[in-house]
Amino acid sequence: MAWMGLFFFLPLLLVFVISFMMRGTYGGVEWVFSLDNYAALLDPLYLRIYLRSILLATATTLLCLILGFPLAYYMARLPAHWQAVWMVLIMIPFWTNFLVRTYAWIFILRSEGLLNTVLMEIGLISQPIEILYTDAAILIGLVYGYLPFMVLPLYAALERLDRSLVEAAADLYATGWSRFRRVILPLAKPGVAAGCLLVFIPSVGAFITPDLLGGARTMMVGNLIQHEFLVVRDWPFGSAVSFVLMAMVMAGLWGYLRWEGRSWLWR
Amino acid sequence: QAPTTNGPARSGTGAAQTLYYFTWSDYVDREQLAGFEARTGARVVVDTFSSNEELLAKIQGGAGGYDVAAPSDFMVSIMVREGLLAELDLARIPNVASLSPWLSDLPFDPAQRYAVPYLWGTVGIGFDSAVVATPPDSWEVLWDPRYRGKISMLNDQREVFGVALRAMGHSLNETAPAAIEQAKRRLLAQKPLVKTYTSENYDNLLAAGEVALAHGWGGAVARAMDERPSLRYVIPREGATIWADCLVVLRTSRNKDLAMRFINYLLETDVAVHTTNRLRFASANREVKDRVDARVRQNPAVYPPEDARDRLEWMVDVGDAIRLYDRAWTELKMR
Amino acid sequence: MADFSIDIRNLVKRHGGTLAVDHLSVQVRRGEFFSILGPSGSGKTSTLRLIAGFEQPDSGEVLIEGRPMLGVPPHLRPVNMVFQSYVLFPHLTVFQNIAFGLEMQRLPAPEVRARVGPMMEMVKLTGKEHRVPAQLSGGEQQRVALARALVNRPAVLLLDEPLGALDQQLRQEMQGELKTIQQEVGLTFLFVTHHQEEALTMSDRLAIMDKGRLLQVGTPQELYEMPTSVFVAQFVGTSNHLPGRLDTIESGCARVTATQHDRVPVLRTRIPEGVREGSSVVVVVRPEHLHVSADAHVNGFDNTLPARIEKTVYTGSEMLYLLRIAETLLWKARVPNVRVDQKRFAPGESVFVRWNAAEARVLSA
Amino acid sequence: MADFSIDIRNLVKRHGGTLAVDHLSVQVRRGEFFSILGPSGSGKTSTLRLIAGFEQPDSGEVLIEGRPMLGVPPHLRPVNMVFQSYVLFPHLTVFQNIAFGLEMQRLPAPEVRARVGPMMEMVKLTGKEHRVPAQLSGGEQQRVALARALVNRPAVLLLDEPLGALDQQLRQEMQGELKTIQQEVGLTFLFVTHHQEEALTMSDRLAIMDKGRLLQVGTPQELYEMPTSVFVAQFVGTSNHLPGRLDTIESGCARVTATQHDRVPVLRTRIPEGVREGSSVVVVVRPEHLHVSADAHVNGFDNTLPARIEKTVYTGSEMLYLLRIAETLLWKARVPNVRVDQKRFAPGESVFVRWNAAEARVLSA
Amino acid sequence: MVKIRFLGVQGVSLGALAFLYLPVAVLIAFSFNDSRLSAVWQGFTIRWYGVMLTDDALLAAIGNSLVVGLCSTVVATILGLLAAVSLERMGSARGRLVETTLVLPLVIPEIMMGVALMLFFVTALVPLGLLTITIGHAVMNVPVVMVIVRARLRKLDPKLEEAARDLGATPWQAFRRVTLPLLVPSIIGAVLMAFTISLDDFIVAFFTAGPGSTTLPLKVYSMVKSGVSPAINALSAVLIVVSMLLIAVSLWFQRKGGVALFRE
Ligand SMILES: Nc1ncnc2c1ncn2[C@@H]1O[C@H](COP(=O)(O)OP(=O)(O)OP(=O)(O)O)[C@@H](O)[C@H]1O
Ligand SMILES: Nc1ncnc2c1ncn2[C@@H]1O[C@H](COP(=O)(O)OP(=O)(O)OP(=O)(O)O)[C@@H](O)[C@H]1O
Ligand SMILES: [Mg+2]
Ligand SMILES: [Mg+2]
């Protein structure tokens, strides 16, 4: 606890204070209190950035869930030591370098890239489809990057689920789908919640993937923050942007719990 | 062998001195360092940064312990203003004598008090002569609808606005709101043609034929040429950005003497020739050009034609106007 | 319409190496309370799972209401199961648990309510609709499991040791309730247990299973009084055994000579079916059929053996005596405490054990 | 040295609102097999947990071997516990499970082996040392739990329904084994169960608990034949009840008039202790003490009541008859099937129920 | 029929795995590409492996990355574990508060963490370097570990510890000998997660690194100006192959009846 206080909350406090200061003419921080930074964020221009990022992050989360659930379910059913192996297998790709991985994706997705070549070879398409530098590419990149964050908690939850509950449902006339809808999913809910959180947060703040795969034709909050902190060197504004993002996420979380009528995610 | 602890503690003077050099990746290679180490008995530790902003963030953040760094022109002026640099003692850097005269007095460091230019280059247009039949001589080509989806721009607000401003006959250091506003409108008009804004991998894209026109640094284009011979590089007639990475001594350096000697060493003709051949960045040392490989010397992406020189302009800090750029840039992205 | 609710025709199921179900054939009549009784691991659960359709037989077939079930998925079979460990849905309330099956059948909400209500009545859970399983006692959970299955009015209700997890008191209560419910709704119950007393007291008919095979089918009385094998005699109730050879069959009784215990005289037993003279047999006598007394001369019994009281156990309603008949032969006798003042024997006392030929069965060894 | 292994002096434990243990005082003698018998929720487990030190009493104290245990943490108490649900360490082998306690006491490896070995012998697990609990049957797991506790040679062994999860066959086996082991090692066993037959057959003495309170302590026979309260009479074995008023106490017997059933004549019962004439009482008669017959005239019984057979249950060794004595009065009678050919009654038959005064106890209502 | 559906699930799972490994295959392929750029195939070569092995700056970087990864993972795992356990012991109300605050770092943009940490270290006069990166990564990972371990902890039967206490184990022994081993599966997961995050993190490292503490991601990004060398691909390829081998070995051991990682 003390540790977190020291290395997490103190720094955070520092930044919070800064978010109420002003940028010096040539960057740096001018220690004058002002609310301008937050006021500026009310501009629809910035609100659109937030909106867009949240939409993309939501889409990413959903895709991760759709892809991650069967995977986690499958792992949970494997013999014990295979479960361990699969976990490692899912992590290993991320021991390569992020940038290099992304370049690989560019190679795969670009118009004369691997994907298009293969698709045209097998005659599925006549001329290349443009995936790279579209939102589709961003989604692929984000889903790829955060899938494990979804799978792990899901796996933890499903691994605890009693097999015979599913049989009981089948015995009570539940078809495959309703067995999933009515029994498996609700029982895995804590895992789902945790997974969604772990995926949503980082993808809402992501900025390199959107730049490289999305062609940087638009901005995400992540880009804005990074841009303000590094390029413009307007730390106060950058901090303000970050805190508003945080606030939004927290609010969303709180709303979810309220709606769920639950006290905390993993309960 | 870079030590795996943070330097300052170690950079004590004495028998085996250590010099901490903070620079772009690949700017120096082992042999060069070995040469210096052999000569001085000092040990050189190299750390690399990925952008001037990172360099500044670090130094400003108080990451002490570095002796020599290689910031780009505009960053030098910022660092000077922030008082992060130490004055140079040119007496201890005799090799400044061999610098190209036109590089000796620069807007961001009048009278060379803080920085000596090291490597320099230009920001122009790399294009595929197989696709773009008539070699373009104007930035306007980046507005040519025929190349819709075949254009890449740098992902850098100053450079991108620089292109528009230049095309409109302004300075790329323009601070007049009206001009910036107008530039923004032009760029918005261009946006549909642009495939991607990237500062990272347009060399890949050029080489792979993904784009036929790339707004970018000469060095990168030069690299791409090895892969795709039909690639060319041009500095448009409206002029372009010239950049120079300079060598500076940091104020917090505990070893200024050694630092000066290191700078002097890097400027040595033989060393510089080696560097230019390897990196394809023009050297500030005027003797180098005649001694590098022909294909480097004759490559306009490395050494722009003499006549282009007076069309080149340095990028300088625009002060509070940065807010205008910033705002316009955001709008450009969000439209 | 078929006359059997369930018709199993030599069903076979392997689990890895073990033959969980081994050429099993058995018919369950409509509306009867049929039990499968067998030791742990005898294949009872496996059989139910095959009927419910959770597993596919390696060979043989299952007919429900005359319809062959090959390839019919669980959710399409007209049977419902009460699991060995309830398996209630922890995230659903009592009501939702019971309504689950009906909702799966897309019944309109009002009808669901109309059917769940009385069911809750019947299992005495009214008022607890909105609890979740975790908030119920073992017995209550058990009732929910039962209601959840019954409410679907299945052709057959499969129960896998539904009372296994309950304590004695509760267990006896529930035995009564189950039987009553079954008679009320007139459903066919297929009841699995390894508790022989339970099986005897509740069932109309029962089947004894061992190692996946069917040993004997019949009414409780048939099984208890006319076991066809030593295993059944042993597993259904307790019994005393004496290996011997069948000498002669006379009018009224048969004579058996003990083969291993020479001190034991020739015994007179009831006449066995299908056992040839001279073949080696086992004499089986139930503990409650043994008359234990200290005095040497008592009339009216066909057999008399001297014995020593080895051990006595007091169960309240009766005394259990462990009797040493011969060095290697121990028998059990149970003597009801019909009178508080009646004579009780102590370990070490010498006594005489007596019984009639009619109560001694002969089974071929 | 103290003469009690365990000495509990009015112990009180609240769980939220409920009084789990309510001023409980009881002494367990060294080396005896002592049982606590009570319905679910009566506070048995709570009591054990207080003795083991998992929970602290709200008042009262626990002495083990004469030493007060106030504030002594569980791992320093000379008792070991066998849990209601085994609670074996799933990640340890059988051997490691049993050796756990010894290793905690820092015993040298050789000695650990020297003590675990024989213990494995005793519980018949030799050869299974290297299995993990998941690979054991219920009975085997139960034995491991027992060995894990016994190997520490505790002053007292606490057993919380150790047989609760076993099936009948296994349960009876283990009952035997437990008793034998206890006699071998001569340890004090404090055994908790809600299975009354188990308690009666195994214990030297037992205590009846209900709602956290102690009702009666005594030998099995005392409790079964001389219950001091209706609850005990009911909970220990089954019994028939008749509310009445104690009229007169004569030589040899007492007379009780049924208060609620006028058709029932005056009953003659054994003479009660400490019940004044005229006070309202309950007459208690055990089912096995009832003599059921069809003919009107049988001598040698003090009481006779006409009745109708309501329901019959066949348990193999005996017949259970549900008898209607009056509209609202049902009695149970158990008649051993001592002879296969003996007369059995069918539902609906009219019979006479007879018993002697000596077998009818009178308890103040 | 339950089987059939399961096969479907298996299909998706294998598909997902393929999805995860597709780019990995590509980048490994390019480690053999005879060209400075990962743009087009120019022919087979292994020279990048040579470059990698002789580039001490690169080797130093991966060295740093591994050191930071391991250290921060150890720290984060221990702290996360403690947090999870002590939360389990805590009253629900207080526990919830602490848990919320502990999980907060998850909901903060990385870059902000970085800035915050840098400012903090600088004001606290902690010299930037491997130490500060390690601390930074640990801070990021504590909540991750906690979340994962907590899920498993709640599944354990509290009676297990009581049984241990009853058998003479002190509270610590009970935890050490019973609870901890049973948490192993979740701990493995947590460790993997934390290590991966640390190994691949650029942003926080970017702000908290100092002289001589360039980690691999920092190194790679700094190459952008002069072109990312395929030596990186080579390095990644080696990392992957090595870890694959490790798995194979562990599998082999388990086949040989060695201790299974997960046992329940
Ligand atoms: N899924 C399985 N995998 C391997 N063997 C199994 C499986 N299910 C059952 N068996 C084996 O098949 C045999 C029969 O098992 P089954 O569960 O039907 O017995 P049971 O009569 O239900 O036992 P119990 O009374 O203990 O429930 C046993 O030997 C068991 O080990
Ligand atoms: N941790 C607890 N919190 C709240 N109430 C409790 C707790 N433990 C026990 N109780 C209550 O105390 C009473 C006695 O519980 P206890 O477990 O001792 O009964 P028991 O005799 O062991 O029952 P069983 O035979 O079912 O094990 C019960 O009413 C129970 O609800
Ligand atoms: Mg079973
Ligand atoms: Mg209990």
Side-chain angles (χ1 to χ4, degrees), chain C residues 167, chain D residues 15-16 18-21 38-47 49 55 84 160-161 192-194:
Chain C
D167 69 58
Chain D
H15 279 304
T18 56
L19 255 175
V21 178
S40 182
S42 55
K44 305 184 295 296
T45 298
S46 303
T47 308
R49 292 175 59 78
E55 287 168 21
Q84 198 158 2
D160 189 359
E161 319 239 0
V192 154
T193 180
H194 45 219

Side-chain angles (χ1 to χ4, degrees), chain A residues 15 224-236 238-239 242, chain E residues 111-112 115 207:
Chain A
V15 179
L224 185 59
I225 297 173
Q226 174 251 12
H227 187 72
E228 292 301 331
F229 270 113
L230 294 183
V231 181
V232 189
R233 298 190 294 114
D234 187 341
W235 287 9
S239 313
S242 313
Chain E
I111 185 163
M112 197 167 149
V115 174
F207 284 103

Side-chain angles (χ1 to χ4, degrees), chain A residues 98-110:
Chain A
F98 174 82
L99 204 58
V100 186
R101 274 199 313 273
T102 314
Y103 281 3
W105 270 116
I106 293 176
F107 170 82
I108 294 169
L109 296 177
R110 70 190 191 204

Side-chain angles (χ1 to χ4, degrees), chain C residues 15 18 20 39-46 84 161 194:
Chain C
H15 280 304
T18 56
S40 184
S42 55
K44 306 184 294 296
T45 299
S46 303
Q84 200 157 359
E161 318 239 0
H194 45 215

